[in-house]
Amino acid sequence: MSKESKPSIVLNCPLPTLDFDVITMGHGSGGLLTHQLLESGVFKVLKNEHLDQQHDGAILDLPGRIAFTTDSYVVSPIFFPGGNIGDLAVNGSVNDLAMCGAIPRFLSLSFILEEGLKMTDFWEILLSIKIASENAGVTIVTGDTKVVEKGKGDGIFINTSGIGVIHSRANIQASRIQTGDQIIMSGPMAAHGVAILSKRKGIEFETTIQSDTFAVNHLVKLLLDQFGDAVHFLRDPTRGGMATVLNEIAAQCQLGIAVEQKSIPIDEQVEGACELLGLDPMYVANEGIFMAVVRGDVADEVVAMLRHAGSMHAAVVGTVTDAHPGKVVLTTRIGGRRVVNYLTGEQLPRIC
Amino acid sequence: MSKESKPSIVLNCPLPTLDFDVITMGHGSGGLLTHQLLESGVFKVLKNEHLDQQHDGAILDLPGRIAFTTDSYVVSPIFFPGGNIGDLAVNGSVNDLAMCGAIPRFLSLSFILEEGLKMTDFWEILLSIKIASENAGVTIVTGDTKVVEKGKGDGIFINTSGIGVIHSRANIQASRIQTGDQIIMSGPMAAHGVAILSKRKGIEFETTIQSDTFAVNHLVKLLLDQFGDAVHFLRDPTRGGMATVLNEIAAQCQLGIAVEQKSIPIDEQVEGACELLGLDPMYVANEGIFMAVVRGDVADEVVAMLRHAGSMHAAVVGTVTDAHPGKVVLTTRIGGRRVVNYLTGEQLPRIC
């Protein structure tokens, strides 16, 4: 259940022989070249009964209560330590559904390709999408491919939208957060942002840090199976990092949040890199962890369960309080206290 | 029910006073600027109970059988005669749902903005989205905003994904198409493609031709209310035009399609422009019409109903035959016959 070391995704699944090796404008025309691209690539790799229909949409049978989410991914570079834009796009939308208390079921997949994108890169991304969706247990049921001229895009942008079925025991609402609730982080923070930054032009540095990109839905299902409506709120700290999520929570429930810096899990190497780069890791993006606001009396059990399920660094990091409504206050390692604000302006652009 | 002449969309709804007049990278950071953009713009314009939750996804109550679709829109230019990328993105996904035999209910809305996009342009697009979604009767329930650097995008790309509820009388499947079925077009072809082309750099020409961008879902609902499972198949001829749709239908049902050129509705001015530009209008994109394959005995009634509902140019344009399986054969106005193939390569890039 924990994030495994990733297999090489080129696998035993080489790129089929095609009479083109880069994407051209014709691949977005809706004509013969589009059909070739889809049939030799997308439909073959992602084969399932829904996609096989090749209609404009998929017909799905679902019970009554669903979650619906969307995200466009513009991460740069498209390949980064620990993943690429393909698995990121799957995991990201899967996680958004999980944060609604849903069991992710179906994804849509829409590409905006830049003319000149190498077919070998597109293929590797497609395979990552396949593997990530299998790992998360979701089916890609409908899609779209557009092509823009060279210089009007950036290799590849991906939109995934997702549908999930609300877990029967879930009742995730900011309004249910109350004084005494505990805030749990499922794993160490800031790995994704630092991994991306380590490959950015002009900043590259040597490191073994990998993105934490990972689908948390199986963990969230365990959490809801076991703790049901004692889980008051869920959110994944992506863009803007955990500081942003904590501020959003405080603003929505109009209660205060007290956070202990020393209890926030962070990898030593990630922390070192943040110091070196002058980044506050609380604002750095994550793509494979979540924050849960749970009833105070079950917090320790939740942490034990998460650790048992493979999230070895899960920890209680804060408490909901009525002391400073709407504000997030951090107690630093040396015992000082300061308000943690929303991120102003841009820290790391195109992180997801 | 027909496509009305469009009101000026700046309406009585001017851009609010903001301390920025173009999009900057910070608007995609997930921090304070993102919040400002969303709160002063997106959330305000598109206000509804689902968006107000400001969660990563929306929770929806739906009956069992749904349709799910996605499309990314990269149309260039973003403003064109008769519409812009905003209403196009709403109408396009609404129409895809209608083509599945669904009543469109919910849309997601995801922006990829290029740094430097003018806020006045973004505002006008947002207002068009609002009007188009109200006209179509769909609610935008979840969204996402990303920003890419100048030169890595093209003003604005939009993804809309949609969820609809399958009409109780719908049974839309290519496998239900049979010899003797009639093919109906709901309106004149090629207006969208020609309208876009009239504004393309290097090709501009003076014309009053407008895009046909329009949500056909209300018409399709009437069709299904009245004719139920006598409607065998639906498809909207967007990229690749009606020739592509006819080829897809012929390939899927492995029957032949015989089309009468003289019966295909086309506006005189559009036809003239196509001749001038050397375009075959059968391959030119449409964004506000659909093709229906219906049981032969109801075809005339269907046309009468569509005309009565405002689609004055609806017509039977072809017949399903076992004479030339998998092939589309056109009888020209002068009585010649030729095979209509898939579009090879690119005709008009970035048409939607």
Side-chain angles (χ1 to χ4, degrees):
Chain A
M1 196 71 67
S2 78
K3 186 185 171 187
E4 313 109 280
S5 61
K6 288 177 193 150
S8 158
I9 54 155
V10 180
L11 294 169
N12 297 321
C13 195
L15 181 67
T17 310
L18 298 169
D19 47 8
F20 50 89
D21 55 7
V22 298
I23 295 290
T24 64
M25 290 306 289
H27 288 114
S29 68
L32 202 62
L33 276 170
T34 308
H35 278 255
Q36 276 179 9
L37 177 68
L38 293 179
E39 261 152 46
S40 62
V42 184
F43 289 147
K44 198 164 172 181
V45 171
L46 302 175
K47 191 169 179 55
N48 66 60
E49 49 164 344
H50 298 287
L51 274 185
D52 290 352
Q53 298 281 331
Q54 301 190 17
H55 205 327
D56 286 335
I59 311 294
L60 310 170
D61 282 301
L62 283 172
R65 199 125 215 264
I66 67 163
F68 180 32
T69 187
T70 192
D71 255 318
S72 287
Y73 297 84
V74 299
V75 64
S76 171
I78 55 179
F79 295 97
F80 49 80
N84 65 51
I85 192 170
D87 41 38
L88 189 73
V90 171
N91 293 339
S93 290
V94 161
N95 291 350
D96 280 348
L97 291 172
M99 295 305 98
C100 297
I103 311 292
R105 292 284 303 279
F106 303 108
L107 290 188
S108 65
L109 176 65
S110 178
F111 296 113
I112 299 176
L113 308 179
E114 185 192 17
E115 185 185 18
L117 175 70
K118 281 188 213 146
M119 272 306 294
T120 48
D121 286 351
F122 186 51
W123 189 248
E124 186 168 346
I125 290 165
L126 262 182
L127 294 179
S128 300
I129 288 170
K130 179 189 170 71
I131 294 168
S133 55
E134 284 173 0
N135 285 344
V138 293
T139 310
I140 291 163
V141 293
T142 190
D144 179 45
T145 306
K146 294 281 158 52
V147 180
V148 296
E149 300 89 344
K150 203 162 178 60
K152 301 293 185 183
D154 198 11
I156 178 169
F157 300 144
I158 300 180
N159 177 282
T160 50
S161 300
I163 294 178
V165 176
I166 300 295
H167 190 290
S168 60
R169 300 199 63 199
N171 189 1
I172 308 298
Q173 289 180 57
S175 60
R176 298 190 61 234
I177 299 172
Q178 47 189 282
T179 303
D181 280 1
Q182 300 289 296
I183 296 162
I184 291 167
M185 269 179 64
S186 72
M189 70 175 167
H192 177 72
V194 171
I196 296 289
L197 214 58
S198 75
K199 294 296 161 193
R200 278 277 169 82
K201 281 211 175 75
I203 321 182
E204 291 108 312
F205 55 92
E206 279 299 320
T207 170
T208 57
I209 297 169
Q210 295 213 325
S211 163
D212 63 346
T213 177
F214 177 60
V216 301
N217 59 314
H218 301 303
L219 276 176
V220 170
K221 181 176 180 297
L222 285 179
L223 178 67
L224 293 169
D225 285 348
Q226 207 166 324
F227 298 96
D229 71 357
V231 182
H232 294 164
F233 198 68
L234 294 168
R235 186 64 68 100
D236 56 337
T238 55
R239 270 188 298 180
M242 70 172 287
T244 302
V245 168
L246 291 173
N247 271 286
E248 286 171 351
I249 295 175
Q252 279 193 33
C253 66
Q254 276 304 307
L255 289 166
I257 293 179
V259 192
E260 286 283 339
Q261 190 175 32
K262 67 169 185 279
S263 62
I264 305 173
I266 183 167
D267 172 86
E268 247 181 55
Q269 214 190 337
V270 170
E271 192 168 20
C274 285
E275 261 172 45
L276 209 70
L277 296 162
L279 294 173
D280 182 340
M282 288 185 74
Y283 292 98
V284 175
N286 311 277
E287 290 290 343
I289 61 171
F290 64 94
M291 306 180 71
V293 185
V294 303
R295 215 173 56 211
D297 63 308
V298 299
D300 290 340
E301 277 176 84
V302 168
V303 167
M305 185 282 286
L306 290 173
R307 291 186 175 187
H308 182 74
S311 281
M312 298 306 299
H313 301 282
V316 172
V317 299
T319 306
V320 177
T321 166
D322 48 16
H324 37 74
K327 285 207 160 48
V328 179
V329 175
L330 180 79
T331 304
T332 64
R333 282 196 188 113
I334 54 167
R337 296 178 81 219
R338 65 175 174 87
V339 172
V340 177
N341 285 313
Y342 274 109
L343 174 63
T344 343
E346 129 201 28
Q347 193 173 34
L348 302 177
R350 298 186 59 188
I351 210 73
C352 60
Chain B
M1 194 71 66
S2 78
K3 188 183 172 189
E4 312 109 280
S5 62
K6 290 180 191 148
S8 159
I9 55 157
V10 180
L11 295 168
N12 297 321
C13 195
L15 181 68
T17 310
L18 298 169
D19 47 8
F20 50 89
D21 55 8
V22 297
I23 295 290
T24 63
M25 290 305 291
H27 289 114
S29 68
L32 202 60
L33 277 171
T34 308
H35 278 255
Q36 276 179 9
L37 176 68
L38 293 179
E39 263 152 44
S40 61
V42 185
F43 289 147
K44 199 164 174 182
V45 172
L46 303 175
K47 191 167 179 57
N48 66 60
E49 49 164 340
H50 298 286
L51 274 185
D52 290 352
Q53 297 283 330
Q54 300 190 18
H55 204 325
D56 286 334
I59 311 293
L60 310 170
D61 282 301
L62 282 173
R65 199 127 213 263
I66 67 162
F68 180 33
T69 188
T70 191
D71 256 319
S72 287
Y73 297 84
V74 300
V75 65
S76 170
I78 55 179
F79 295 97
F80 49 81
N84 65 51
I85 192 170
D87 41 40
L88 189 73
V90 171
N91 293 340
S93 290
V94 161
N95 291 350
D96 281 347
L97 291 172
M99 296 304 101
C100 297
I103 311 292
R105 293 283 305 280
F106 302 107
L107 289 188
S108 66
L109 176 65
S110 178
F111 296 113
I112 299 176
L113 308 178
E114 185 192 18
E115 185 184 19
L117 176 71
K118 281 187 211 146
M119 272 307 293
T120 47
D121 286 350
F122 186 51
W123 188 249
E124 187 169 348
I125 291 165
L126 263 182
L127 293 179
S128 300
I129 288 171
K130 178 188 172 69
I131 294 169
S133 55
E134 284 173 0
N135 286 344
V138 292
T139 311
I140 290 163
V141 292
T142 190
D144 179 45
T145 306
K146 295 279 158 52
V147 181
V148 296
E149 301 88 344
K150 204 162 178 60
K152 302 292 185 183
D154 198 12
I156 179 169
F157 301 143
I158 300 181
N159 178 283
T160 49
S161 299
I163 293 178
V165 177
I166 299 294
H167 190 289
S168 60
R169 299 198 63 200
N171 189 1
I172 308 299
Q173 289 181 56
S175 61
R176 297 190 61 234
I177 299 172
Q178 46 189 284
T179 302
D181 280 1
Q182 301 290 296
I183 296 163
I184 290 165
M185 269 179 65
S186 71
M189 68 176 169
H192 177 71
V194 171
I196 296 289
L197 214 58
S198 75
K199 294 296 162 194
R200 277 278 167 82
K201 280 211 176 75
I203 320 184
E204 292 107 311
F205 55 93
E206 279 299 319
T207 170
T208 58
I209 297 169
Q210 294 213 325
S211 165
D212 64 344
T213 178
F214 176 60
V216 300
N217 57 315
H218 301 302
L219 276 178
V220 171
K221 181 176 178 300
L222 286 180
L223 178 66
L224 293 170
D225 284 349
Q226 206 165 325
F227 298 95
D229 71 358
V231 182
H232 294 165
F233 199 67
L234 295 167
R235 185 65 70 98
D236 56 337
T238 54
R239 270 189 299 181
M242 72 171 285
T244 301
V245 167
L246 291 173
N247 271 285
E248 286 171 352
I249 294 175
Q252 279 193 36
C253 67
Q254 276 305 305
L255 289 166
I257 294 179
V259 192
E260 287 283 339
Q261 190 176 31
K262 67 170 185 279
S263 62
I264 305 173
I266 182 167
D267 172 85
E268 248 181 55
Q269 213 189 338
V270 170
E271 192 168 20
C274 285
E275 260 171 45
L276 209 72
L277 296 162
L279 293 173
D280 182 340
M282 289 185 74
Y283 292 98
V284 175
N286 311 278
E287 290 290 343
I289 61 171
F290 64 94
M291 305 178 71
V293 185
V294 304
R295 214 174 55 210
D297 63 305
V298 300
D300 291 341
E301 278 176 85
V302 169
V303 168
M305 184 282 285
L306 290 173
R307 290 186 175 188
H308 182 74
S311 281
M312 298 305 299
H313 301 281
V316 173
V317 299
T319 307
V320 177
T321 167
D322 46 16
H324 36 75
K327 286 206 159 47
V328 179
V329 175
L330 180 79
T331 303
T332 65
R333 283 196 188 116
I334 53 165
R337 296 179 80 218
R338 66 174 174 86
V339 172
V340 177
N341 285 312
Y342 274 110
L343 174 63
T344 343
E346 129 200 27
Q347 194 175 32
L348 301 175
R350 299 186 57 190
I351 210 73
C352 61

